[in-house]
Amino acid sequence: MYNKKVLQHFKSPHNFGKIQNADGQGQVGNVVCGDVMNLYLKIGKNKKGEEIIEDVKFETYGCVAAIATSSIITDLAKGKTIKQAIGLNKDSIIDTLEELPAIKIHCSVLAIDALNEAIYNYLHKNKRDIPKELQKRHQRIEKEKQIIEKKYADWINSSKD
Amino acid sequence: MAKTKQVYLDYAATTPVDPQVLKTMMPYLKEKFGNSVSLYKLGQESKKALEKARLIITQAINAKNKEEIIFTSSATESNNLALKGIAFANQKKSHIIISAIEHDCVLNSTSWLQKQGFQITQIKPDKYGLINPKDIEKAIKKNTILISIIHGNNEIGTIQPIEQIGNICEKKKIYFHTDAVQTFGKIPIDVQKMKIDLLTASSHKIYGPKGAGLLYIKKDIRIDPLLHGGNQEFGLRSSTVNVPAIIGFGKATEICLKKMKSESKRLTQLRDYLIQGILKKIPQAHLNGHPIKRLPNNANFWFAFIEGESIVTSLDQYGIAASTGSACSSEKLEPSHTLLACGLLPECAHGSLRLTLGRWTTKKDIDYVLNTLPKIIKNLRKISPFK
């Protein structure tokens, strides 16, 4: 089902764990659907004085593809400027992994969403301008969260009991 | 790299063909290739071997007549034939009762029948996957024609009180079908004593080849065939009969019956050793299914905070073959209906793992799993945001 590269990342994922007092944090997915990703960012500056993702870590509950794409997104984002990181998309993940089974493509979207949400969280917290593109993505992710919560309301409520 | 140890623990999915079975089949793939309906010697030889297999199976379930056994291509076909066959031999708008933990082929056949105008009621099990016969009795309506309840559940292994349900059906004059794919050849089945009218079984779950299944239909019960053609199998299943596979099915049944007592005892011990070991070694591990009323070879767990496909893939890297009821393992991206019907929350069902033992499972294999699985669970929990 999975190629060697995906399995390698799954077996030895890069950058997993939590960053204490992270500058930015994103959470996407829902436990009832079987995947939840948490992404943590530490923001620094490069020599030119641009803001970069100095460190990034993830915690993921989910399938092989969810864990492998989480690992990949941290590799791709690390060291990038914020602008470059916003430019990453699901194809960046799929290209790096070479291929993903069709029913698992949504996992790569989830990883991108987690990164976007973490960056959004950082910019928002620091009252910075949020690029239109990112704003739009944030709204879409929020909307999708609501749809899922509505769809699985019974299950989610019973989980809280 | 050193060759990884291989441990197959997915016998509920399929089994390897027993070497003795293969040996019995071989001549019918080669020189004895005749069509069982042909009149010349080559055909009649096939016919004779086919009828021998039919007799073995007749005796295995204590059916009255050998003509009550219909060979099909699979259990899916048999279940389709039983449900649709009974439904269409009766009035439209008739009512059928099933459990909520049937195999997909029963669930999907009945939801198709529902679209054709039949009424379907699903009975929910308790948290151990056990169906209460009283719930079935309560669901019976005037127009109920058929009750179909799985004998041993394919996922969680719970064994239903088939004889009690059979007695209810007999009393109420309703046909009773059971999907016995996971029990046939493993625990005793007596269709007369259990008051079973129709029963499904499969060859490849009992060390026979793939491509052979059967439907027992009690004499004088009328069903409509699914396939129309040359009227093979007493007109109920047209198609050239897959003689080599059925001969293998017969031989596999014979071997299972001979070994049943000792093998079910051996597997029950191994199963309990596995269950106790996992529950003791892994924190937040839970058993799915009934603690006692379960298939001798079935163990099913759920592990908190992690997802089943990840567990199965990790096990595979250690050479262990297993399966899960997690959504991520299925095309529809929803967790197992059986686990949900037992009241498990989706996030718990996502973390399920099924290990099913078989003829070649040893204590060494179980020890290997007991040494490997705790490491895997621990590693996956390290990555998980939930702790």
Side-chain angles (χ1 to χ4, degrees), chain B residues 106-148:
Chain B
V106 169
L107 287 181
N108 291 336
S109 289
T110 48
S111 56
W112 183 82
L113 282 169
Q114 200 164 21
K115 279 186 211 147
Q116 312 306 313
F118 292 91
Q119 298 170 26
I120 311 293
T121 300
Q122 282 190 16
I123 306 292
K124 285 228 164 181
D126 67 8
K127 64 176 177 174
Y128 300 114
L130 211 55
I131 298 288
N132 187 343
K134 280 184 190 145
D135 291 340
I136 294 181
E137 207 162 0
K138 273 185 235 156
I140 293 173
K141 299 183 192 178
K142 266 189 188 155
N143 61 340
T144 306
I145 47 166
L146 174 68
I147 294 174
S148 178

Side-chain angles (χ1 to χ4, degrees), chain A residues 52-96:
Chain A
I52 59 159
I53 294 174
E54 197 177 275
D55 198 12
V56 47
K57 285 203 186 317
F58 79 88
E59 290 176 317
T60 292
Y61 158 86
C63 65
V64 174
I67 291 172
T69 53
S70 302
S71 168
I72 279 286
I73 196 70
T74 60
D75 275 359
L76 291 174
K78 211 171 189 171
K80 293 253 183 350
T81 63
I82 288 189
K83 203 180 157 194
Q84 285 169 331
I86 294 171
L88 292 169
N89 59 30
K90 76 171 184 346
D91 294 330
S92 327
I93 292 181
I94 297 166
D95 289 349
T96 317

